Amino acid sequence: MTRLTAAILAAAALALPAAGGEERILSPDEFEDFTEGYTMRFIQDGRFVGAEMFLPGRRVTWQYSNGACTGGGWYAEEGAICFVYIDSPDPQCWHFLERDGRYFARLRGSEDPVADYELTSRDRAPLQCGDPGLDT
C-alpha cells in the first residue's frame, strides 16, 4: 500500500462517526435540568452498579449495588460533573454523554466507552436505603 493510500484511508477512518453514533457531552446546566428531582439507575457491562437520587441544591444520594447508600453533592469543573460523598471525599469527575437517545456517564480522562455507566432508568421514585437518615 502506498503512503498516499494509507493516508487517505486513515483520514477516512477519522471522518467516520464513532461506533454507536455521535456523542454529545451535556453541559452542567443541561445535566442539572435533566437530573434534579430524579432517581437514575446505571449499569456497566450489563451489570447494575448503582442508582443516584438528585436533590435540590446539587445534593445527591448514591445507592451502591449492595443497597447501602451515601450522601453527597456535585459541582461543575471544566465542563465535567464532579461528585463528593460523605464516605469518599475525593472528587470523582464525569462527563455525561448523550448518544443515539441514550445516556452514559464516562469518568473524566477515560476514552474507553466500555467503561461507561449506562443510564437504564430515570424516574421520580425515591431510593430505599438501609440507612434511615438517607431514605428519601
Side-chain angles (χ1 to χ4, degrees), residues 25 44 80-83 90-97 104-117:
I25 297 175
Q44 182 185 45
I81 309 302
C82 299
F83 294 87
D90 293 330
Q92 300 173 28
C93 297
W94 302 79
H95 288 284
F96 201 70
L97 311 164
F104 302 85
R106 181 175 297 156
L107 199 56
R108 180 171 64 184
S110 174
E111 295 182 20
D112 182 7
V114 174
D116 291 353
Y117 284 12

Side-chain angles (χ1 to χ4, degrees), residues 8-127:
I8 291 170
L9 289 175
L14 290 174
L16 293 174
E22 301 252 348
E23 293 181 341
R24 181 179 75 83
I25 297 175
L26 273 68
S27 72
D29 288 339
E30 289 174 309
F31 177 80
E32 186 168 28
D33 289 343
F34 185 76
T35 60
E36 188 172 313
Y38 289 93
T39 297
M40 299 172 36
R41 290 164 184 79
F42 295 93
I43 62 171
Q44 182 185 45
D45 196 27
R47 296 176 56 209
F48 176 72
V49 292
E52 192 136 38
M53 184 172 206
F54 291 83
L55 305 165
R58 295 186 173 185
R59 293 178 304 117
V60 296
T61 299
W62 171 258
Q63 184 174 48
Y64 296 95
S65 60
N66 68 3
C69 295
T70 186
W74 71 270
Y75 61 93
E77 180 180 277
E78 298 175 4
I81 309 302
C82 299
F83 294 87
V84 290
Y85 298 99
I86 294 167
D87 65 347
S88 179
D90 293 330
Q92 300 173 28
C93 297
W94 302 79
H95 288 284
F96 201 70
L97 311 164
E98 187 272 328
R99 179 174 63 232
D100 296 333
R102 296 166 50 202
Y103 293 90
F104 302 85
R106 181 175 297 156
L107 199 56
R108 180 171 64 184
S110 174
E111 295 182 20
D112 182 7
V114 174
D116 291 353
Y117 284 12
E118 181 177 358
L119 176 66
T120 59
S121 70
R122 174 180 171 261
D123 57 47
R124 295 191 184 272
L127 292 175

